[in-house]
Amino acid sequence: MPIYIGTQGFPITARGKGVKAALYRLNELGLNALELDFVHGIYLSHEELNTLSVLAKDLGIRLSIHAPYYINLCSEDKGIVERSKKRILKCVEIADAIDADTIAIHSASYGKYTKEQAYNIVRDNYQQIIDSIKKMGIKNITLGAETMAKASQFGTLDELLRLYKDLAGWVKPYVDFAHIFARNNGRIDYAKILDMLTSHGIRHINSHFTGLARKGYRYVDKHIPIGEPAFEPLALEIVRRNLSITIICESPLLELDSLRMKSILEFISMDVNSY
């Protein structure tokens, strides 16, 4: 099954600026995925998006989008909720234009609500977004609700799989392995996570990977080069299961750590297939 590995945002070592330089550099390095990091706003022009779509397809690079951080579908402020919906729908329009397969979204914080109340609010707001997408005539986009690191944030894997079921696959878990690791106080069971995803019929997994820093005895959502959580056990599970997966590197080393993960996967693949 295909494995896609690449960077969130343009590679640091691109020769020149802009979309073309980024895509050519990824291709030159043997990487095949790019996530547009619209986390602080949408920064590409219409012309650049057209270039991106055509060239990415020619080079075999899989595209995804990270929606702006300024999203909270469970805010008490209805204005924030409406602006959040608009930001997501803008990303949907762009994803459709460039044939990106999914959009990573930080869905919400629980705020004053219980987890069950927050779930119902987030589900209903996602349903309204889905209704708008259908009216736009867009069919091939999934909303990637991201697993989140903090206990105050909506986004456990259980919650996201429940959304996936309740919303007929329109909202799919976007698995941030480092976030799960942090939320579980430095523990992660890759096999269990992958079993949960595949048992729900998810055929392609979209994911983030990075190293995380410590603050005292706890891991915090500060990205560092990969190391903790360890990537090798995940790579072994991917190869053993012959998974279809996209792994977007969010470490500060971007393409260097992407290449490191690619090398680990290739080494394990050779080792497993030799038996």
Side-chain angles (χ1 to χ4, degrees):
M1 298 294 283
I3 297 175
Y4 300 88
I5 300 178
T7 60
Q8 185 183 99
F10 294 168
I12 300 166
T13 58
R15 297 178 180 88
K17 297 181 180 180
V19 168
K20 286 186 178 180
L23 291 173
Y24 281 129
R25 183 56 175 157
L26 287 170
N27 182 252
E28 182 181 39
L29 292 170
L31 299 172
N32 57 357
L34 173 65
E35 186 160 284
L36 299 178
D37 59 337
F38 292 158
V39 294
H40 297 296
I42 297 167
Y43 55 84
L44 293 178
S45 67
H46 183 72
E47 182 180 352
E48 287 174 309
L49 290 170
N50 285 339
T51 300
L52 178 70
S53 176
V54 173
L55 188 54
K57 189 174 294 184
D58 288 345
L59 297 176
I61 295 174
R62 192 182 187 107
L63 298 175
S64 58
I65 291 171
H66 199 304
Y69 285 146
Y70 319 113
I71 285 172
N72 187 354
L73 295 175
C74 197
S75 175
E76 296 175 58
D77 185 331
K78 300 304 179 185
I80 290 175
V81 173
E82 292 307 311
R83 289 192 292 274
S84 297
K85 292 177 187 176
K86 288 179 180 178
R87 291 185 177 109
I88 292 171
L89 287 170
K90 180 62 178 177
C91 289
V92 168
E93 289 180 0
I94 294 172
D96 183 57
I98 64 175
D99 294 322
D101 69 323
T102 196
I103 302 157
I105 302 167
H106 293 189
S107 303
S109 296
Y110 297 118
K112 70 172 186 179
Y113 301 107
T114 67
K115 289 187 176 181
E116 185 63 21
Q117 288 171 330
Y119 176 83
N120 291 329
I121 293 167
V122 171
R123 180 201 59 209
D124 291 349
N125 282 319
Y126 266 126
Q127 183 61 65
Q128 291 176 27
I129 294 168
I130 293 164
D131 292 342
S132 296
I133 294 171
K134 290 178 179 178
K135 289 178 182 177
M136 294 158 66
I138 296 173
K139 300 179 180 179
N140 298 318
I141 302 296
T142 58
L143 304 173
E146 190 172 328
T147 55
M148 300 305 294
K150 298 177 181 178
S152 62
Q153 295 172 306
F154 178 91
T156 67
L157 186 55
D158 285 332
E159 287 170 332
L160 303 184
L161 286 169
R162 186 179 171 190
L163 278 180
Y164 181 73
K165 181 180 178 181
D166 287 352
L167 297 175
W170 278 90
V171 178
K172 187 172 80 169
Y174 197 118
V175 183
D176 190 308
F177 291 105
H179 282 174
I180 295 175
F181 179 75
R183 193 164 187 147
N184 291 331
N185 297 317
R187 297 185 300 274
I188 189 164
D189 186 336
Y190 293 120
K192 181 180 178 181
I193 292 166
L194 298 176
D195 283 344
M196 290 172 70
L197 294 165
T198 55
S199 69
H200 280 74
I202 294 174
R203 296 180 180 179
H204 182 81
I205 297 167
N206 290 89
S207 70
H208 290 150
F209 204 92
T210 184
L212 287 185
R214 287 188 187 216
K215 185 175 182 180
Y217 293 101
R218 298 182 65 85
Y219 290 89
V220 294
D221 192 15
K222 179 182 178 182
H223 297 185
I224 63 173
I226 61 173
E228 291 187 281
F231 179 72
E232 289 82 356
L234 173 59
L236 182 59
E237 292 295 337
I238 291 169
V239 172
R240 280 177 173 171
R241 296 158 186 266
N242 195 27
L243 286 180
S244 176
I245 189 169
T246 298
I247 306 170
I248 296 296
C249 181
E250 290 189 310
S251 100
L253 297 183
L254 283 183
E255 61 265 46
L256 184 61
D257 272 346
S258 295
L259 289 171
R260 183 180 170 190
M261 290 190 286
K262 183 173 183 280
S263 295
I264 290 168
L265 280 160
E266 289 172 346
F267 178 81
I268 290 175
S269 182
M270 287 189 294
D271 190 47
V272 168
N273 291 333
S274 67
Y275 289 96

